[in-house]
PDB file of all heavy atoms in Angstrom:
ATOM      1  N   CYS S 226       6.069 -13.552   3.780  1.00 87.00           N
ATOM      2  CA  CYS S 226       5.123 -14.356   4.636  1.00 87.00           C
ATOM      3  C   CYS S 226       4.864 -13.571   5.956  1.00 87.00           C
ATOM      4  O   CYS S 226       3.616 -13.532   6.447  1.00 87.00           O
ATOM      5  CB  CYS S 226       5.770 -15.734   5.015  1.00 87.00           C
ATOM      6  SG  CYS S 226       5.754 -16.869   3.561  1.00 87.00           S
ATOM      7  N   VAL S 227       5.853 -12.904   6.580  1.00 87.00           N
ATOM      8  CA  VAL S 227       5.702 -12.164   7.818  1.00 87.00           C
ATOM      9  C   VAL S 227       4.850 -10.924   7.424  1.00 87.00           C
ATOM     10  O   VAL S 227       3.941 -10.592   8.167  1.00 87.00           O
ATOM     11  CB  VAL S 227       7.131 -11.740   8.320  1.00 87.00           C
ATOM     12  CG1 VAL S 227       6.851 -10.811   9.576  1.00 87.00           C
ATOM     13  CG2 VAL S 227       7.799 -12.982   8.763  1.00 87.00           C
ATOM     14  N   LEU S 228       5.154 -10.312   6.326  1.00 87.00           N
ATOM     15  CA  LEU S 228       4.359  -9.038   5.991  1.00 87.00           C
ATOM     16  C   LEU S 228       2.935  -9.454   5.669  1.00 87.00           C
ATOM     17  O   LEU S 228       2.050  -8.650   6.250  1.00 87.00           O
ATOM     18  CB  LEU S 228       4.907  -8.438   4.848  1.00 87.00           C
ATOM     19  CG  LEU S 228       4.238  -7.158   4.141  1.00 87.00           C
ATOM     20  CD1 LEU S 228       4.314  -6.110   5.203  1.00 87.00           C
ATOM     21  CD2 LEU S 228       4.832  -6.788   2.758  1.00 87.00           C
ATOM     22  N   SER S 229       2.628 -10.488   5.084  1.00 89.00           N
ATOM     23  CA  SER S 229       1.191 -10.871   4.800  1.00 89.00           C
ATOM     24  C   SER S 229       0.623 -11.184   6.168  1.00 89.00           C
ATOM     25  O   SER S 229      -0.634 -10.871   6.314  1.00 89.00           O
ATOM     26  CB  SER S 229       1.188 -11.994   3.863  1.00 89.00           C
ATOM     27  OG  SER S 229       1.693 -11.675   2.604  1.00 89.00           O
ATOM     28  N   SER S 230       1.181 -11.883   7.042  1.00 89.00           N
ATOM     29  CA  SER S 230       0.733 -12.254   8.301  1.00 89.00           C
ATOM     30  C   SER S 230       0.323 -11.125   9.143  1.00 89.00           C
ATOM     31  O   SER S 230      -0.699 -10.977   9.803  1.00 89.00           O
ATOM     32  CB  SER S 230       1.665 -13.184   9.100  1.00 89.00           C
ATOM     33  OG  SER S 230       1.860 -14.460   8.335  1.00 89.00           O
ATOM     34  N   VAL S 231       1.352 -10.044   9.156  1.00 88.00           N
ATOM     35  CA  VAL S 231       1.138  -8.856   9.901  1.00 88.00           C
ATOM     36  C   VAL S 231      -0.146  -8.083   9.274  1.00 88.00           C
ATOM     37  O   VAL S 231      -0.900  -7.631  10.109  1.00 88.00           O
ATOM     38  CB  VAL S 231       2.410  -7.983   9.766  1.00 88.00           C
ATOM     39  CG1 VAL S 231       2.081  -6.600  10.313  1.00 88.00           C
ATOM     40  CG2 VAL S 231       3.585  -8.662  10.608  1.00 88.00           C
ATOM     41  N   LEU S 232      -0.244  -8.000   8.003  1.00 86.00           N
ATOM     42  CA  LEU S 232      -1.431  -7.290   7.365  1.00 86.00           C
ATOM     43  C   LEU S 232      -2.615  -7.965   7.769  1.00 86.00           C
ATOM     44  O   LEU S 232      -3.707  -7.309   8.011  1.00 86.00           O
ATOM     45  CB  LEU S 232      -1.148  -7.287   5.954  1.00 86.00           C
ATOM     46  CG  LEU S 232      -0.346  -6.032   5.368  1.00 86.00           C
ATOM     47  CD1 LEU S 232      -0.055  -6.262   3.939  1.00 86.00           C
ATOM     48  CD2 LEU S 232      -1.082  -4.748   5.599  1.00 86.00           C
ATOM     49  N   LEU S 233      -2.654  -9.344   7.794  1.00 89.00           N
ATOM     50  CA  LEU S 233      -3.955 -10.003   8.077  1.00 89.00           C
ATOM     51  C   LEU S 233      -4.341  -9.735   9.438  1.00 89.00           C
ATOM     52  O   LEU S 233      -5.483  -9.314   9.769  1.00 89.00           O
ATOM     53  CB  LEU S 233      -3.700 -11.507   7.842  1.00 89.00           C
ATOM     54  CG  LEU S 233      -5.008 -12.450   7.939  1.00 89.00           C
ATOM     55  CD1 LEU S 233      -4.639 -13.736   7.167  1.00 89.00           C
ATOM     56  CD2 LEU S 233      -5.292 -12.777   9.305  1.00 89.00           C
ATOM     57  N   VAL S 234      -3.479  -9.809  10.458  1.00 87.00           N
ATOM     58  CA  VAL S 234      -3.751  -9.619  11.787  1.00 87.00           C
ATOM     59  C   VAL S 234      -4.081  -8.225  12.099  1.00 87.00           C
ATOM     60  O   VAL S 234      -4.967  -7.826  12.932  1.00 87.00           O
ATOM     61  CB  VAL S 234      -2.692 -10.204  12.795  1.00 87.00           C
ATOM     62  CG1 VAL S 234      -3.037  -9.977  14.178  1.00 87.00           C
ATOM     63  CG2 VAL S 234      -2.460 -11.668  12.501  1.00 87.00           C
ATOM     64  N   LEU S 235      -3.320  -7.403  11.458  1.00 84.00           N
ATOM     65  CA  LEU S 235      -3.444  -5.849  11.667  1.00 84.00           C
ATOM     66  C   LEU S 235      -4.836  -5.338  11.193  1.00 84.00           C
ATOM     67  O   LEU S 235      -5.586  -4.691  11.876  1.00 84.00           O
ATOM     68  CB  LEU S 235      -2.347  -5.124  10.898  1.00 84.00           C
ATOM     69  CG  LEU S 235      -2.404  -3.619  10.902  1.00 84.00           C
ATOM     70  CD1 LEU S 235      -0.908  -3.128  10.744  1.00 84.00           C
ATOM     71  CD2 LEU S 235      -3.210  -2.887  10.051  1.00 84.00           C
ATOM     72  N   GLN S 236      -5.337  -6.068   9.963  1.00 83.00           N
ATOM     73  CA  GLN S 236      -6.616  -5.588   9.522  1.00 83.00           C
ATOM     74  C   GLN S 236      -7.748  -6.175  10.343  1.00 83.00           C
ATOM     75  O   GLN S 236      -8.810  -5.454  10.404  1.00 83.00           O
ATOM     76  CB  GLN S 236      -6.780  -6.099   8.072  1.00 83.00           C
ATOM     77  CG  GLN S 236      -5.962  -5.289   7.016  1.00 83.00           C
ATOM     78  CD  GLN S 236      -6.342  -3.816   7.021  1.00 83.00           C
ATOM     79  OE1 GLN S 236      -7.501  -3.545   7.179  1.00 83.00           O
ATOM     80  NE2 GLN S 236      -5.298  -2.912   6.688  1.00 83.00           N
ATOM     81  N   ILE S 237      -7.592  -7.196  11.208  1.00 83.00           N
ATOM     82  CA  ILE S 237      -8.627  -7.632  12.059  1.00 83.00           C
ATOM     83  C   ILE S 237      -8.925  -6.431  13.061  1.00 83.00           C
ATOM     84  O   ILE S 237     -10.164  -6.339  13.289  1.00 83.00           O
ATOM     85  CB  ILE S 237      -8.052  -8.895  12.869  1.00 83.00           C
ATOM     86  CG1 ILE S 237      -8.002 -10.068  11.983  1.00 83.00           C
ATOM     87  CG2 ILE S 237      -8.936  -9.147  14.011  1.00 83.00           C
ATOM     88  CD1 ILE S 237      -7.328 -11.322  12.607  1.00 83.00           C
ATOM     89  N   ILE S 287      11.157  -5.366  10.313  1.00 87.00           N
ATOM     90  CA  ILE S 287       9.895  -5.899  10.171  1.00 87.00           C
ATOM     91  C   ILE S 287       9.404  -6.642  11.452  1.00 87.00           C
ATOM     92  O   ILE S 287       8.263  -6.473  11.909  1.00 87.00           O
ATOM     93  CB  ILE S 287       9.820  -6.990   9.112  1.00 87.00           C
ATOM     94  CG1 ILE S 287      10.143  -6.354   7.742  1.00 87.00           C
ATOM     95  CG2 ILE S 287       8.564  -7.741   8.970  1.00 87.00           C
ATOM     96  CD1 ILE S 287      10.409  -7.242   6.517  1.00 87.00           C
ATOM     97  N   GLY S 290       8.855  -4.049  14.192  1.00 91.00           N
ATOM     98  CA  GLY S 290       7.602  -3.319  13.910  1.00 91.00           C
ATOM     99  C   GLY S 290       6.337  -4.017  14.355  1.00 91.00           C
ATOM    100  O   GLY S 290       5.344  -3.477  14.729  1.00 91.00           O
ATOM    101  N   SER S 291       6.405  -5.355  13.931  1.00 91.00           N
ATOM    102  CA  SER S 291       5.170  -6.192  14.281  1.00 91.00           C
ATOM    103  C   SER S 291       4.935  -6.088  15.758  1.00 91.00           C
ATOM    104  O   SER S 291       3.798  -6.063  16.151  1.00 91.00           O
ATOM    105  CB  SER S 291       5.328  -7.664  13.770  1.00 91.00           C
ATOM    106  OG  SER S 291       4.342  -8.451  14.020  1.00 91.00           O
ATOM    107  N   ILE S 294       3.434  -2.769  16.779  1.00 91.00           N
ATOM    108  CA  ILE S 294       1.963  -2.561  16.435  1.00 91.00           C
ATOM    109  C   ILE S 294       1.108  -3.391  17.519  1.00 91.00           C
ATOM    110  O   ILE S 294       0.106  -2.900  17.932  1.00 91.00           O
ATOM    111  CB  ILE S 294       1.646  -3.074  15.042  1.00 91.00           C
ATOM    112  CG1 ILE S 294       2.448  -2.278  13.928  1.00 91.00           C
ATOM    113  CG2 ILE S 294       0.194  -3.019  14.669  1.00 91.00           C
ATOM    114  CD1 ILE S 294       2.347  -2.764  12.606  1.00 91.00           C
ATOM    115  N   VAL S 330       7.766  -1.770   9.320  1.00 88.00           N
ATOM    116  CA  VAL S 330       7.378  -3.134   8.681  1.00 88.00           C
ATOM    117  C   VAL S 330       7.385  -2.928   7.127  1.00 88.00           C
ATOM    118  O   VAL S 330       8.049  -3.656   6.456  1.00 88.00           O
ATOM    119  CB  VAL S 330       6.005  -3.664   9.126  1.00 88.00           C
ATOM    120  CG1 VAL S 330       5.587  -4.830   8.305  1.00 88.00           C
ATOM    121  CG2 VAL S 330       6.080  -4.113  10.597  1.00 88.00           C
ATOM    122  N   PHE S 331       6.642  -1.847   6.636  1.00 87.00           N
ATOM    123  CA  PHE S 331       6.448  -1.752   5.160  1.00 87.00           C
ATOM    124  C   PHE S 331       7.637  -1.249   4.482  1.00 87.00           C
ATOM    125  O   PHE S 331       7.914  -1.837   3.358  1.00 87.00           O
ATOM    126  CB  PHE S 331       5.170  -0.842   5.064  1.00 87.00           C
ATOM    127  CG  PHE S 331       3.910  -1.319   5.754  1.00 87.00           C
ATOM    128  CD1 PHE S 331       3.122  -0.442   6.323  1.00 87.00           C
ATOM    129  CD2 PHE S 331       3.567  -2.701   5.573  1.00 87.00           C
ATOM    130  CE1 PHE S 331       2.087  -0.845   7.014  1.00 87.00           C
ATOM    131  CE2 PHE S 331       2.428  -3.230   6.243  1.00 87.00           C
ATOM    132  CZ  PHE S 331       1.623  -2.252   6.917  1.00 87.00           C
ATOM    133  N   ALA S 361      -4.378 -10.982   2.028  1.00 86.00           N
ATOM    134  CA  ALA S 361      -4.248 -11.124   3.488  1.00 86.00           C
ATOM    135  C   ALA S 361      -5.101  -9.997   4.111  1.00 86.00           C
ATOM    136  O   ALA S 361      -5.789 -10.287   5.157  1.00 86.00           O
ATOM    137  CB  ALA S 361      -2.732 -11.032   3.897  1.00 86.00           C
ATOM    138  N   LEU S 389       0.170 -10.260  16.868  1.00 92.00           N
ATOM    139  CA  LEU S 389       1.280  -9.447  16.216  1.00 92.00           C
ATOM    140  C   LEU S 389       2.492  -9.526  16.948  1.00 92.00           C
ATOM    141  O   LEU S 389       3.679  -9.649  16.360  1.00 92.00           O
ATOM    142  CB  LEU S 389       0.790  -7.993  16.120  1.00 92.00           C
ATOM    143  CG  LEU S 389      -0.261  -7.779  14.966  1.00 92.00           C
ATOM    144  CD1 LEU S 389      -0.851  -6.389  15.229  1.00 92.00           C
ATOM    145  CD2 LEU S 389       0.346  -7.887  13.668  1.00 92.00           C
ATOM    146  N   ILE S 392       3.979 -13.060  16.205  1.00 90.00           N
ATOM    147  CA  ILE S 392       4.554 -13.019  14.867  1.00 90.00           C
ATOM    148  C   ILE S 392       5.902 -12.350  14.863  1.00 90.00           C
ATOM    149  O   ILE S 392       6.861 -12.821  14.263  1.00 90.00           O
ATOM    150  CB  ILE S 392       3.616 -12.361  13.777  1.00 90.00           C
ATOM    151  CG1 ILE S 392       2.362 -13.104  13.692  1.00 90.00           C
ATOM    152  CG2 ILE S 392       4.242 -12.007  12.577  1.00 90.00           C
ATOM    153  CD1 ILE S 392       1.225 -12.481  12.886  1.00 90.00           C
ATOM    154  N   GLY S 393       6.019 -11.178  15.490  1.00 89.00           N
ATOM    155  CA  GLY S 393       7.233 -10.523  15.579  1.00 89.00           C
ATOM    156  C   GLY S 393       8.341 -11.320  16.254  1.00 89.00           C
ATOM    157  O   GLY S 393       9.521 -11.362  15.785  1.00 89.00           O
TER     158      GLY S 393
END
Side-chain angles (χ1 to χ4, degrees):
C226 290
V227 174
L228 177 64
S229 298
S230 301
V231 169
L232 274 170
L233 191 156
V234 180
L235 184 152
Q236 288 296 328
I237 288 174
I287 295 170
S291 179
I294 298 171
V330 172
F331 302 136
L389 283 167
I392 290 169

